[in-house]
Amino acid sequence: PSWRFVAAAAALLAYAGLSHALMVHAPAHPWSVAALFGPLLAAVALGALRRRQWAAFGLGAVAAAVLAAITARGGVQDMQRMYVLQHAVLHLTLAWPFASTLRAGSEPLLTRLALRMHGRLSPAMRVYTRRLTVAWTGYFVGMVAVSALLYAFAPWRWWSLFGNLLSPLLAASLFVLEHLWRHRHHPEFERASLAAAWRAWQTWQTRPSSGAIR
């Protein structure tokens, strides 16, 4: 239902605003550290559990224990590098499923997702989904590069604004704009809603396919 998407978007926006405020005004406070790192670790652990990736789940548990220890001892004096590292790891983790399926003999990730939704693809759609997989890979890697440049040359407030607010908004905007552009410039492609694309992504996360070309 649409209200769930609206509620989820509002919750994410509120959390992004809270994260920005904590990073700017209390970056080293122990509870700031817990609030900023805890949800990410919980999401990683839940994803690993759903996909039965026990090694990743174990690493997440270890990281959670380290986070609890840091919180208990009062945080650390300089957390800015840790926040930048968290942002980089998150985006590289998102880039890897796209990039790893672009190697020779593998089926691009977005081609797999399109096949889940449509059952079959035209040659033009296969080319399009491969190029789109390349574009998303470049986007996530580009976010890491911009983050590093801002951290090195801009005030910390700027980096926090980029890392907490602009990054998720840019990702959502790219997702929606690509959807609209495809419907306008490729009317020959079979239609699929944003909700269907999201369900295909969730299904792939739970049961990823082998990656062989069909």
Side-chain angles (χ1 to χ4, degrees), residues 33-205:
V33 177
L36 292 167
F37 281 94
L40 175 62
L41 292 177
V44 170
L46 180 61
L49 187 62
R50 290 178 60 191
R51 298 178 67 180
R52 300 179 183 273
Q53 295 179 340
W54 305 118
F57 181 77
L59 289 175
V62 171
V66 172
L67 175 63
I70 291 174
T71 303
R73 67 186 293 269
V76 296
Q77 293 302 312
D78 184 9
M79 286 298 299
Q80 292 183 0
R81 292 183 181 179
M82 292 297 296
Y83 296 138
V84 175
L85 179 62
Q86 177 199 37
H87 182 272
V89 169
L90 174 62
H91 282 78
L92 291 176
T93 301
L94 291 171
W96 173 249
F98 291 86
S100 63
T101 59
L102 292 172
R103 63 182 182 273
S106 183
E107 190 171 66
L109 174 57
L110 294 181
T111 305
R112 299 183 199 177
L113 297 184
L115 282 168
R116 286 184 183 275
M117 289 188 290
H118 305 300
R120 60 182 180 83
L121 298 177
S122 66
M125 191 62 176
R126 285 184 173 272
V127 171
Y128 180 86
T129 51
R130 180 178 181 83
R131 290 176 177 174
L132 191 57
T133 303
V134 173
W136 274 106
T137 302
Y139 167 80
F140 289 125
V141 174
M143 288 295 99
V144 177
V146 173
S147 170
L149 290 173
L150 286 174
Y151 177 67
F153 300 108
W156 175 247
R157 182 182 295 271
W158 292 14
W159 186 94
S160 178
L161 184 65
F162 168 79
N164 290 301
L165 296 173
L166 291 182
S167 290
L169 288 176
L170 287 171
S173 298
L174 180 59
F175 184 78
V176 173
L177 288 174
E178 183 280 324
H179 180 83
L180 296 175
W181 189 91
R182 173 165 32 92
H183 278 217
R184 179 177 177 83
H185 295 277
H186 290 283
E188 74 277 13
F189 293 165
E190 186 177 348
R191 296 291 190 237
S193 66
L194 290 173
W198 177 247
R199 286 194 297 269
W201 171 257
Q202 288 182 307
T203 303
W204 176 83
Q205 285 187 306

